[in-house]
Structures are given as structure tokens and as C-alpha cells.
Amino acid sequence: MEIKVCGPGCASCEKAQKTVEAAIAAKGAQATVTKVSDFQEIAKLGIFSTPAVVIDGQVKCVGRAPKQSEVEEWIS
């Protein structure tokens, strides 16, 4: 599973990344987490508001940091 956390590195983006990592650890999932901070790369994914979470090419959350329970549902 490939998870991308998109954002420039603001506090909300950092929170999103920590939430994703916590959910992976809680579920014991096998996943690669990549931080995407280049706006051109983010725009190529069709995202124009950050933070955003993309799992296996599917945009799951845009413009907010997700809750850990949401991420756990997405990766289960």
C-alpha cells in the first residue's frame, strides 16, 4: 500500500502525517508513507487544498487532517 501525505509542511500537514503513521502502526499495516510537498506534484493528483491524503492513487481526504479512525478504515 502506498500512502501520500500532500502539503507544504504546515502544522495541519504534520498532523495529517502523524495521524497516518499512527493508524498504520495501530493496524499493523504494511504501507509506504511518502510526503509530497511540491505543489506541481500535488496539483497533478488533482488536489488544490492541503493537507491531503492519497492511498494507492485514490484521494481520501482534502483540506483537513483526517481522524485516526478514518485512516484506519481506509487502510483496513
Side-chain angles (χ1 to χ4, degrees), residues 3 9 18 33 43 61:
I3 302 174
K18 287 179 181 174
V33 180
C61 178

Side-chain angles (χ1 to χ4, degrees), residues 25-66:
K27 287 298 219 175
Q30 295 293 319
T32 302
V33 180
T34 306
K35 176 82 169 125
V36 181
S37 56
D38 179 50
F39 281 112
Q40 289 181 339
E41 288 298 314
I42 294 170
K44 284 181 188 175
L45 295 168
I47 297 166
F48 298 99
S49 181
T50 59
V53 177
V54 181
I55 300 178
D56 290 334
Q58 186 176 18
V59 178
K60 294 290 191 177
C61 178
V62 177
R64 65 180 177 83

